[in-house]
């Protein structure tokens, strides 16, 4: 498909009608996944369901592993490591596709509930890189878990089912916003102003009437008290559903496509793998949007621990040298999105090196910012290998970068895989409106991203 790159043709032009039907069918399944996976915890739960339907089982149920075994390691309910054991010795390398399942959002603070101006509100702290003004005057759901004082876990979801109430952060009306509109974009909304409106009906008590009214309702529904927020993880996410976008239904619009579009396509590719020579793995991690720190992020030892389990249970032996040898022989696609060229904002891109909707997944040789800071910069030898396997499998693909030099830039988990001595390159779907509550992807790009990962794991 190199001709598509040279001639800059749109990928839809090369598809036959039957192939277009495959695209739409796949993306219908993807939309269902998006709507069921608005948090990293829900994404793990949905991924396990898909994996188990494909014959995967928890690795803890296996004392040893042999070729053809399909196992997963659940990292604290917020990360997942799936592997299909190949016929070759595992130290010959693993073909990894690694994506993240966290997305920008608003998190409730440890003591969120307060009242003011005859309303009850929740204090939040935004998570990841957002334009704060985009998160006002928009319907929000609350999703998460609460641990009560006795240790009982309560799953918490309000706003996702028909008939549920929803929540929002208010915005200032234009008539009173003259001073606000003189501020820089990053200062239009202060972080401490991202407070969710929860209720406005008072209780008949003497004190804290509006807080008490809200807590009574939450106690009736979930059996929790205000003190239980300290041991809770509750996220405010857009309440609307992912959907077809455009009269031709050629795009998907929805929340959390960075990076669940790559997580889903990687998951499907590995779940459908069969009779592999190399062991193949899909790794879904948390915390990428805030630097990958934490014990569910890519920088934690959980990735190495999952690999160590595979080595130990396939070889009946384990050593640090075996792990290092396995990593050194491994190949990885860092499955993360890139920014698509937006005709409404053309000046931030260099057109010859920008990604475009409808041109397939984007191979990104390096990320980082300014002087390639914070990137692994895939070598030419590995780029040649990846290019070859994509072309051999008739995958429509393109190259891209994250904006103009000295303007754009960003980081992915590629650098962390590279630091473990793994050959790695970024490859993922290009998006419009990345990190906004409503992101846009081309259905062709989504499907070809899946095809790219399927081709890659055959290396």
């Amino acid at each position: 498909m190199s001709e598509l790159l040279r001639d800059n043709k749109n990928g839809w032009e090369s598809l036959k009608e039957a192939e277009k039907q495959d695209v739409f069918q796949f993306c219908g399944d993807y939309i269902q996944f998006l709507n069921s996976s608005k948090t990293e915890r829900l994404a793990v739960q949905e991924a396990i369901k898909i994996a188990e339907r494909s014959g995967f089982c928890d690795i803890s149920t296996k004392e040893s592993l042999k070729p053809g075994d399909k196992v997963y390691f659940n990292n604290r309910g917020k990360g997942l490591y799936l592997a299909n054991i190949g016929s070759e010795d595992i130290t010959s390398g693993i073909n990894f596709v690694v994506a993240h399942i966290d997305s920008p959002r608003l998190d409730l603070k440890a003591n969120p509930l307060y009242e003011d101006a005859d309303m009850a509100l929740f204090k939040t702290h935004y998570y990841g890189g957002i334009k704060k003004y985009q998160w006002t005057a928009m319907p929000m759901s609350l999703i998460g878990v609460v641990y009560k004082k006795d240790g009982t876990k309560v799953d918490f979801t309000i706003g996702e089912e028909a008939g549920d109430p929803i929540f929002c952060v208010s915005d200032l009306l234009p008539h009173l916003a003259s001073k606000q509109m003189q501020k820089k974009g990053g200062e239009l909304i202060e972080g401490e102003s991202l407070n969710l409106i929860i209720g406005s009906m008072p209780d008949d008590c003497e004190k804290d009437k509006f807080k008490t009214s809200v807590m009574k309702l939450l106690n009736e529904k979930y059996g929790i008290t205000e003190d239980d927020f300290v041991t809770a993880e509750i996220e405010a996410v857009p309440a609307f559903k992912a959907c077809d976008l455009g009269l031709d239904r050629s795009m998907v619009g929805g929340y959390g496509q960075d990076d669940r579009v790559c997580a889903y396509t990687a998951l499907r590719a590995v779940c459908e793998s069969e009779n592999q020579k190399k062991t193949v793995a899909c790794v879904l991690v948390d915390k990428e949007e805030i630097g990958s720190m934490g014990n569910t992020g890519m920088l934690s030892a959980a990735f190495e621990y999952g690999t160590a389990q595979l080595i130990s249970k396939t070889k009946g032996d384990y050593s640090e040298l075996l792990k290092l040898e396995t990593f050194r022989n491994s190949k990885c696609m860092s499955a993360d999105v890139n920014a698509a060229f937006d005709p409404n904002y053309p000046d931030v891109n260099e057109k010859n090196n920008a990604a475009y909707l409808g041109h397939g997944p984007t191979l990104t040789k390096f990320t980082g910012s300014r002087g390639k800071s914070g990137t692994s910069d895939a070598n030419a030898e590995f780029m040649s290998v990846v290019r070859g396997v994509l072309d051999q499998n008739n995958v429509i693909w393109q190259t891209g970068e994250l904006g103009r030099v000295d303007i754009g830039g960003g980081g992915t988990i590629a650098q962390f895989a590279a630091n473990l001595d793994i050959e790695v390159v970024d490859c993922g779907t290009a998006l419009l409106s990345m990190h906004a509550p409503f992101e846009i992807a081309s259905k062709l790009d989504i499907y070809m991203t899946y095809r790219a990962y399927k081709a890659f794991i055959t290396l």
Side-chain angles (χ1 to χ4, degrees), residues 312-361:
S312 176
K313 293 190 177 190
T314 54
K315 296 184 70 66
D317 188 19
Y318 175 78
S319 70
E320 185 71 8
L321 181 59
L322 289 175
K323 183 186 73 174
L324 294 176
E325 184 179 354
T326 301
F327 281 147
R328 186 169 182 80
N329 292 327
S330 294
K331 300 177 179 66
C332 177
M333 271 193 168
S334 169
D336 208 343
V337 297
N338 204 317
F341 181 85
D342 191 331
N344 288 321
Y345 308 97
D347 294 340
V348 298
N349 288 292
E350 189 264 292
K351 284 190 173 182
N352 288 339
N353 288 284
Y356 293 83
L357 287 189
H359 289 236

Side-chain angles (χ1 to χ4, degrees), residues 33 36-37 39-50 74 77 80 145 153 155:
F33 176 82
S36 302
S37 305
T39 69
E40 66 282 3
R41 289 181 183 270
L42 292 179
V44 167
Q45 292 173 25
E46 288 301 309
I48 289 175
K49 291 177 185 177
I50 293 169
N74 183 346
L80 193 64
V145 296
K153 177 185 174 182
D155 291 316

